[in-house]
Amino acid sequence: AQTVTQSQPEMSVQEAETVTLSCTYDTSESDYYLFWYKQPPSRQMILVIRQEAYKQQNATENRFSVNFQKAAKSFSLKISDSQLGDAAMYFCAYRSAITALIFGKGTTLSVSS
Amino acid sequence: DSGVTQTPKHLITATGQRVTLRCSPRSGDLSVYWYQQSLDQGLQFLIQYYNGEERAKGNILERFSAQQFPDLHSELNLSSLELGDSALYFCASSGNRGHTIYFGEGSWLTVV
């Protein structure tokens, strides 16, 4: 069965600095999709970024980028120029054509000024 | 705004009761998913519907059931409620060709 592991329950960063959140996954499938979702205190689930496994190029969305290492089954999220509004719980998630979204346990990111 | 609408936003009910949560997917999305988020269990996939048919089932209790109607809205029915059913229930949807799943704002259920 597919699993998603986020080994960092909590992370902290200062405003304007860069932080990287880690995620590893386990699957025997070759075609799948990976996502990072942000959940602020409002508890809304907000899509941050997505990566298709067949694409070698790492996805980027403004200050958010990923480091996708398919062979290592690693999918980390880098947040550059951190802002107070980035403080939230971040979830790594996996899905394929035959599975719904499978989530990791989440990483709580705090941002200090 | 993701385009996925859930009602009610908050619900308080007593143990043993039954509630219905409602979801309208994004316009044109055929797939609807239900997830449960509790403090100790994280985000758990419950069930998926595609164009009115059940597509996949996750950790959904027998006391829970769902359906998707011809207009594509979905309802999650929770019965014989227990204190442990208190959680945030998310509905999400995705399109026919899209693999990205968009979430509603959730329905907070408190069982007292």
Side-chain angles (χ1 to χ4, degrees), chain A residues 33 35 37 39 42-47 50 89 91 95-105, chain B residues 1-2 33 35 37 40-45 48 88 90 94 98-105 108:
Chain A
Y33 301 81
F35 305 85
Y37 284 86
Q39 188 176 44
S42 67
R43 303 301 292 272
Q44 186 175 358
M45 293 291 288
I46 302 167
L47 175 68
R50 83 172 221 172
M89 175 82 86
F91 290 95
R95 79 163 302 191
S96 69
I98 60 171
T99 68
L101 270 177
I102 300 169
F103 287 91
K105 294 287 189 185
Chain B
D1 183 6
S2 68
Y33 311 79
Y35 282 83
Q37 186 178 30
D40 57 347
Q41 293 293 323
L43 277 153
Q44 298 289 321
F45 168 64
Q48 177 197 357
L88 180 57
F90 283 108
S94 65
H99 295 277
T100 300
I101 296 177
Y102 296 92
F103 285 77
E105 295 185 354
W108 278 102

Side-chain angles (χ1 to χ4, degrees), chain A residues 63-83:
Chain A
R63 298 182 294 107
F64 299 87
S65 61
V66 299
N67 183 5
F68 173 47
Q69 301 288 329
K70 190 172 184 178
K73 296 181 182 175
S74 170
F75 183 60
S76 61
L77 175 69
K78 185 172 80 171
I79 306 174
S80 303
D81 186 24
S82 296
Q83 300 174 0

Side-chain angles (χ1 to χ4, degrees), chain A:
Chain A
Q2 297 84 358
T3 58
V4 177
T5 303
Q6 293 179 251
S7 59
Q8 307 154 316
E10 297 178 351
M11 292 284 285
S12 62
V13 65
Q14 289 201 322
E15 266 188 303
E17 297 295 310
T18 296
V19 64
T20 299
L21 308 184
S22 300
C23 173
T24 58
Y25 59 95
D26 189 23
T27 184
S28 58
E29 297 176 294
S30 59
D31 188 19
Y32 51 87
Y33 301 81
L34 298 165
F35 305 85
W36 280 97
Y37 284 86
K38 171 185 177 181
Q39 188 176 44
S42 67
R43 303 301 292 272
Q44 186 175 358
M45 293 291 288
I46 302 167
L47 175 68
V48 175
I49 199 166
R50 83 172 221 172
Q51 174 80 43
E52 292 88 346
Y54 63 84
K55 290 186 177 179
Q56 293 187 341
Q57 186 173 5
N58 289 324
T60 298
E61 288 287 343
N62 301 314
R63 298 182 294 107
F64 299 87
S65 61
V66 299
N67 183 5
F68 173 47
Q69 301 288 329
K70 190 172 184 178
K73 296 181 182 175
S74 170
F75 183 60
S76 61
L77 175 69
K78 185 172 80 171
I79 306 174
S80 303
D81 186 24
S82 296
Q83 300 174 0
L84 293 177
D86 294 334
M89 175 82 86
Y90 286 82
F91 290 95
C92 178
Y94 166 102
R95 79 163 302 191
S96 69
I98 60 171
T99 68
L101 270 177
I102 300 169
F103 287 91
K105 294 287 189 185
T107 296
T108 300
L109 177 66
S110 58
V111 182
S112 56
S113 56

